[in-house]
Amino acid sequence: MNPVVRNISVAPAVSATDFRGAMRHLTGGVSVITAGRGTDISGMTVTSVSSLSVDPPSLIVSINRAASSWPLIARHGVFGVNILTADQLDIAERFTGKDGLKGADRFAGAEWTTRASGVPLLIGALAAIDCEVEETIERHSHAIVIGRVLDVIASQRTAALAYWHGEYVAIDKEEDAARLAEVSLPSRHVHARGHPR
């Protein structure tokens, strides 16, 4: 296979403010990444988790290398992904570090368990995923971490916590489906011009 040669013209530098503003339009599911073992633990709130592969089960997360969780992930080679429910806003806020809490103090007020990797996994999360680091790619201020899934703890809850335009928003499958049904059009075929047949 021949390598692709690209001629990319360099545009003026995009400001961090403009880029951040553009990314605020992207809605992201809120997760807490946990790292470490025993009392040497930390975690951070992210919206950068994405599935990579089902076979084998693996995912990707982007981690700021200045975060306290990064050295623990790099040292131990494992981490947890805890996908938050709509009513776990307090946990999301605690793991941002805005209130000054660090390390193990961020875990207070919630129940945690461990699986094969030994990292804390949140009891009551929409899903808690135990991961082993398969590969890291360091770019700029962040590292892209590819995690091989070791175990999954899933709940039956349906309301997720998302982040959009600088705000936390709840997405509830049952409630939102009912709201959409109230405002939806009758189930008739519609022509391309928008007129019912």
Side-chain angles (χ1 to χ4, degrees):
M1 184 172 177
N2 294 331
V4 176
V5 177
R6 296 181 181 166
N7 293 318
I8 300 173
S9 61
V10 178
V14 175
S15 77
T17 302
D18 288 346
F19 180 67
R20 192 176 293 113
M23 291 295 95
R24 287 168 68 101
H25 294 288
L26 185 62
T27 304
V30 180
S31 298
V32 166
I33 303 301
T34 49
R37 295 185 175 122
T39 57
D40 185 23
I41 54 177
S42 192
M44 60 189 291
T45 302
V46 303
T47 57
S48 61
V49 175
S50 179
S51 64
L52 174 63
S53 169
V54 173
D55 187 18
S58 54
L59 53 76
I60 296 173
V61 64
S62 178
I63 303 286
N64 188 325
R65 290 186 292 139
S68 59
S69 301
W70 171 243
L72 295 172
I73 292 171
R75 185 180 330 132
H76 295 290
V78 290
F79 62 97
V81 174
N82 304 277
I83 303 172
L84 300 185
T85 65
D87 61 357
Q88 291 173 327
L89 175 60
D90 61 325
I91 295 172
E93 284 287 282
R94 194 173 322 128
F95 278 87
T96 65
K98 289 179 187 174
D99 58 5
L101 292 176
K102 296 182 185 291
D105 291 338
R106 293 183 179 176
F107 293 79
E111 292 184 69
W112 302 87
T113 189
T114 58
R115 291 292 173 98
S117 76
V119 300
L121 299 172
L122 179 61
I123 294 172
L126 279 178
I129 307 168
D130 202 21
C131 298
E132 177 181 43
V133 174
E134 189 171 275
E135 185 177 352
T136 59
I137 303 161
E138 295 185 28
R139 291 289 184 276
H140 313 298
S141 60
H142 282 62
I144 300 163
V145 181
I146 300 174
R148 176 75 67 96
V149 175
L150 302 173
D151 203 352
V152 173
I153 305 169
S155 81
Q156 299 300 312
R157 303 186 66 187
T158 61
L161 188 63
Y163 196 72
W164 182 62
H165 270 274
E167 304 269 335
Y168 290 103
V169 294
I171 300 174
D172 189 311
K173 181 180 173 186
E174 305 295 331
E175 202 173 289
D176 292 341
R179 280 191 204 141
L180 288 172
E182 288 174 11
V183 297
S184 67
L185 295 171
S187 58
R188 294 186 286 174
H189 295 290
V190 177
H191 286 290
R193 292 183 184 174
H195 301 295
R197 288 185 182 177

